[in-house]
Amino acid sequence: MRTMQPRHRELLEQARQIADSHMKVEFSGDTLIMQVSPPAIHQRNLLKIRRQFDAHMPSDYLPSENTDLESPAISKLRNPDLTYLPEEEMATTASALPAELALIAVEIVSPSNPENDWEGKLRDYPLMHIPLYLLVDARQKTVTLLSEPENGRYRLREDAAFGETIHIPAPFGFTLDTSTLLPYA
């Protein structure tokens, strides 16, 4: 696997040095993405989702919030709100892990920059070989699951409104209850 270009790595590190400690810094192609910390309801919804996934995760995986996932061959570094990674791979001091190790990327859509989740990450995650992408959009009161990445896009899409359920396939294999999620407004 090719590593990230030194120029890109340097820009990423410079951005992290000047960024507030509560900012996420990501890299896609030739673009740096910096976002401020989300509102409390964002974290609440994330934790409600995480509890359900934690109960069904494979025993040799661990949940990880805000871990850098890297695909150097395609110059992508993304940082999902929640992912699940092999426990043995997390015994490292590396600042980023290979994206193809992730079982899922869960994003609580940012009210200030929804395009990052709905466009940028929707473009990048299938290219990064992340098999499942779950978007929780508290602005629209919807949950969307994308799966089966193929030829740079997800082949399958399932949508549910807050209050409905959505099937999460293997390796998790459960029905996600969205009734406890709260909208932004």
Side-chain angles (χ1 to χ4, degrees):
M1 175 185 279
R2 190 174 93 189
T3 61
M4 186 177 278
Q5 293 180 17
R7 175 177 61 89
H8 293 157
R9 175 79 58 204
E10 185 179 325
L11 288 172
L12 185 64
E13 292 309 315
Q14 287 175 357
R16 286 186 170 149
Q17 288 175 2
I18 61 170
D20 181 276
S21 63
H22 299 289
M23 292 187 80
K24 285 175 92 170
V25 180
E26 300 175 308
F27 185 80
S28 178
D30 286 329
T31 306
L32 276 172
I33 300 116
M34 298 173 68
Q35 285 186 232
V36 296
S37 295
I41 200 165
H42 175 282
Q43 191 64 18
R44 181 200 176 279
N45 283 341
L46 179 63
L47 293 172
K48 293 290 186 176
I49 295 290
R50 180 178 164 178
R51 280 184 186 165
Q52 294 181 64
F53 273 93
D54 283 358
H56 300 281
M57 71 180 170
S59 62
D60 54 342
Y61 279 72
L62 291 174
S64 186
E65 294 181 21
N66 298 306
T67 295
D68 288 340
L69 300 178
E70 185 174 29
S71 289
I74 56 171
S75 293
K76 308 269 185 224
L77 184 137
R78 288 299 198 158
N79 187 301
D81 290 326
L82 175 65
T83 191
Y84 288 81
L85 296 160
E87 183 173 358
E88 66 185 31
E89 297 293 332
M90 293 182 70
T92 180
T93 58
S95 61
L97 293 174
E100 63 271 8
L101 297 175
L103 295 178
I104 189 169
V106 177
E107 297 289 356
I108 309 298
V109 176
S110 167
S112 63
N113 188 8
E115 297 81 15
N116 188 39
D117 297 318
W118 278 110
E119 295 172 20
K121 291 182 180 183
L122 182 57
R123 175 195 64 237
D124 292 349
Y125 286 155
L127 293 170
M128 297 170 79
H129 304 288
I130 298 174
L132 301 171
Y133 180 24
L134 184 73
L135 290 115
V136 178
D137 195 334
R139 300 166 316 128
Q140 304 295 322
K141 303 177 200 163
T142 61
V143 177
T144 300
L145 178 68
L146 298 139
S147 60
E148 296 191 17
E150 184 179 281
N151 298 322
R153 67 177 189 85
Y154 288 107
R155 288 184 351 93
L156 299 179
R157 177 179 173 148
E158 183 179 349
D159 295 287
F162 280 17
E164 298 176 344
T165 60
I166 196 164
H167 174 71
I168 307 297
F172 298 98
F174 74 102
T175 300
L176 180 71
D177 176 13
T178 68
S179 66
T180 62
L181 300 176
L182 296 177
Y184 286 131

